[in-house]
Amino acid sequence: MAAAQERLSDGADGTDGSEEDPRDAGDVTPLPFRAAVDALQGARLRPEIEIDPARPPRRLAPYAYALEAAVVEDDQDLADGRLVLLHDPAGHDAWKGTFRLVTLVRAELEPEMAADPLLPEVCWSWLTGALQGRGLSYGESSGTVTRAGSHYFGGLAERPPASQIEIRASWTPREGLSGVPDTAAHLAAWCDLLCQIAGLPPVGPTDASVVSLPQRRGPQAP
């Protein structure tokens, strides 16, 4: 889970990479945050998703919880990422709410796909389409889509060129009557995004506005 282990940089997500376990707060942890975390831990996900708790960033909010995940097929990581749940009981002006979700998702691409001029817009549509496809209400979304290419020389010259796509984003999940957002559904939507960027076919209805790129999974360079 290479991407899940990287720090989330300042910008769309605003994280600083420092880590602490918010649940060490014990009994003082607000009940809405506990309920939101419990829902994340109890979510049922696609079998291709391998997910584990991670130490979340600190100083972004009084309470935070993080997960890292990878899409694995035939013992090969196709995509990976990190999802962070932030909570500020006093509310946050920029969030326009008391909860915030922050993500980093990354996958390798075939070079010809990385050259597609519409790739950034398509990848952003995967995120918004995943949320809409689950019928989720959210706001204040922001993010970046970055593509990068690597060419190898010298002792690495035998490796083929490699291309990578990376999505960094954050959004405010709307809270229910109990003051708790449906974090399990947001996690499921995030996993839909992971599977989409990994090139796996959807397992349920999809948003008709989402544009799909061709299947591109193949053997990865060592």
Side-chain angles (χ1 to χ4, degrees), residues 186-211:
H186 280 271
L187 174 58
W190 181 70
C191 289
D192 291 342
L193 169 64
L194 270 178
C195 291
Q196 182 91 45
I197 200 172
L200 298 186
V203 294
T206 59
D207 185 342
S209 67
V210 176
V211 178

Side-chain angles (χ1 to χ4, degrees), residues 30-111:
L31 289 178
F33 180 69
R34 288 190 182 188
V37 171
D38 288 343
L40 288 174
Q41 294 175 335
R44 295 173 62 91
L45 306 174
R46 288 181 61 164
E48 298 92 345
I49 299 286
E50 294 185 359
I51 193 163
D52 293 294
R55 292 185 66 81
R58 63 183 179 183
R59 294 194 296 270
L60 296 177
Y63 304 94
Y65 182 78
L67 295 167
E68 58 184 27
V71 180
V72 181
E73 191 174 61
D74 298 327
D75 296 324
Q76 180 186 4
D77 282 14
L78 305 182
D80 59 9
R82 197 178 194 211
L83 183 69
V84 179
L85 174 69
L86 304 175
H87 178 55
D88 186 342
H92 195 292
D93 290 341
W95 303 351
K96 292 183 170 51
T98 62
F99 285 90
R100 187 75 171 171
L101 285 163
V102 180
T103 186
L104 164 65
V105 173
R106 188 173 67 180
E108 300 294 325
L109 296 177
E110 298 297 334

Side-chain angles (χ1 to χ4, degrees), residues 112 130 134 151:
E112 59 272 18
R134 294 278 177 175
H151 296 263

Side-chain angles (χ1 to χ4, degrees), residues 5 10 25 28 30 36 47 52 74 97 99-100 123 129 136 140 148 151 200 203 212 215 222:
Q5 295 169 351
D10 295 334
V28 301
D52 293 294
D74 298 327
F99 285 90
R100 187 75 171 171
C123 287
L136 293 169
E140 311 311 313
H151 296 263
L200 298 186
V203 294
S212 295
Q215 298 296 303

Side-chain angles (χ1 to χ4, degrees), residues 99-163:
F99 285 90
R100 187 75 171 171
L101 285 163
V102 180
T103 186
L104 164 65
V105 173
R106 188 173 67 180
E108 300 294 325
L109 296 177
E110 298 297 334
E112 59 272 18
M113 176 171 289
D116 189 327
L118 295 179
L119 181 65
E121 289 79 5
V122 170
C123 287
W124 187 254
S125 81
W126 289 346
L127 171 61
T128 58
L131 294 169
Q132 294 164 9
R134 294 278 177 175
L136 293 169
S137 178
Y138 67 97
E140 311 311 313
S141 60
S142 62
T144 62
V145 176
T146 305
R147 51 184 164 187
S150 299
H151 296 263
Y152 301 94
F153 302 92
L156 302 177
E158 293 184 357
R159 292 190 180 185
S163 299

Side-chain angles (χ1 to χ4, degrees), residues 14-32:
T15 54
D16 64 3
S18 302
E19 297 177 342
E20 67 179 5
D21 187 348
R23 305 205 81 181
D24 289 344
D27 292 340
V28 301
T29 305
L31 289 178

